Amino acid sequence: MHEFPHNEQLRLNVAIILDSLLIQSHDSDVQKEDLDAKISAWYTCLGHSSDEKVKNSANYIRVSRYIRQNKLDAAQEVLDNIQDENDIISALPDKLMLQVSIYLKQGKADLAALELEKALFRETARVQRLLSQLVDAELASGKKDVARAIAEKASAMVDVFDMWEYSRYTAYYQLVAKEKDPNTELPLLEQMLKALSTPWKLTDSILYHRMSPETKELQSKEMLSIILKELETDPDCAYLREHPKWKELIAEYKA
């Protein structure tokens, strides 16, 4: 960053990486407040960038950080100033569909299918996030049965849309984690860790086989490492670490 002080995309990427590491750190020697202030200043500066992509990315992250810090008024202020693209393009034809139509007219059916595969991949991931948030919202409103029914729908998406097996369990885990019962939570956690350890090949999917060659292999090992570290250090998981099967499970997947 000293070498390229005006490269905003570089600064944004560095801020995101350091922000993520700071969240995961439970080291008492880390000066979190100073580092957080530094990262926050970067995001604020980038939130006024002339590059719309950088500006929007930084401001979306600022909103998420303020929510995490329970600074809800600040979060709302930034959110209110983010331009909603849906308001701008709602009256226009969908750009993707227009591009697909052009490709088909040009006889480029494979390119049309590739663009549709990538869009479907993005949208299914978005729907999963929406369902996950809906589970949390229903749990917060005390409607546990409704939350469970929504988690079942999130799980069913995995088979319908050839999604990552890990996604089958995430919404259920939100339900189980609220109960803080290791006897229920650990078996589900084991299924999730197993899914993380199992390669997921897009080439096996009829929905995404074209995009497979240009998609980097999912970094499940890195994700597994982060989750294991979180489970071992997060104070909220202390009740799990007291269970007799805990050490055996963690040792297996660390190996």
Side-chain angles (χ1 to χ4, degrees), residues 72-140:
L72 302 185
D73 289 341
Q76 189 66 60
E77 183 180 351
V78 176
L79 185 61
D80 288 343
N81 285 293
I82 294 176
Q83 194 171 34
D84 190 342
E85 292 182 2
N86 290 331
D87 290 343
I88 301 170
I89 66 172
S90 58
L92 301 175
D94 185 283
K95 183 177 179 180
L96 170 66
M97 295 308 176
L98 290 175
Q99 183 65 71
V100 167
S101 296
I102 291 171
Y103 282 150
L104 290 175
K105 286 284 187 180
Q106 293 173 334
K108 300 176 181 177
D110 283 336
L111 267 179
L114 174 61
E115 292 303 315
L116 291 166
E117 282 187 15
K118 291 191 286 188
L120 180 62
F121 190 83
R122 289 193 301 269
E123 291 304 315
T124 52
R126 174 173 167 75
V127 171
Q128 278 272 312
R129 291 194 297 272
L130 289 171
L131 291 174
S132 175
Q133 289 285 74
L134 193 51
V135 167
D136 279 340
E138 294 294 0
L139 286 173

Side-chain angles (χ1 to χ4, degrees), residues 85-212:
E85 292 182 2
N86 290 331
D87 290 343
I88 301 170
I89 66 172
S90 58
L92 301 175
D94 185 283
K95 183 177 179 180
L96 170 66
M97 295 308 176
L98 290 175
Q99 183 65 71
V100 167
S101 296
I102 291 171
Y103 282 150
L104 290 175
K105 286 284 187 180
Q106 293 173 334
K108 300 176 181 177
D110 283 336
L111 267 179
L114 174 61
E115 292 303 315
L116 291 166
E117 282 187 15
K118 291 191 286 188
L120 180 62
F121 190 83
R122 289 193 301 269
E123 291 304 315
T124 52
R126 174 173 167 75
V127 171
Q128 278 272 312
R129 291 194 297 272
L130 289 171
L131 291 174
S132 175
Q133 289 285 74
L134 193 51
V135 167
D136 279 340
E138 294 294 0
L139 286 173
S141 67
K143 297 179 180 178
K144 186 176 177 180
D145 290 342
V146 176
R148 183 172 295 278
I150 293 167
E152 289 172 0
K153 292 184 180 296
S155 179
M157 281 186 66
V158 173
D159 293 320
V160 176
F161 294 105
D162 295 350
M163 300 177 72
W164 188 19
E165 182 66 16
Y166 179 76
S167 301
R168 189 186 301 279
Y169 310 108
T170 50
Y172 280 126
Y173 191 76
Q174 291 170 245
L175 292 166
V176 172
K178 292 285 185 182
E179 298 171 357
K180 295 188 179 296
D181 179 3
N183 292 316
T184 306
E185 190 171 342
L186 284 174
L188 182 57
L189 186 59
E190 184 171 12
Q191 288 178 298
M192 295 172 73
L193 294 175
K194 182 179 179 181
L196 277 173
S197 305
T198 305
W200 180 42
K201 298 180 180 178
L202 293 180
T203 48
D204 295 338
S205 170
I206 196 170
L207 296 177
Y208 313 117
H209 62 281
R210 281 183 177 83
M211 63 177 280
S212 181

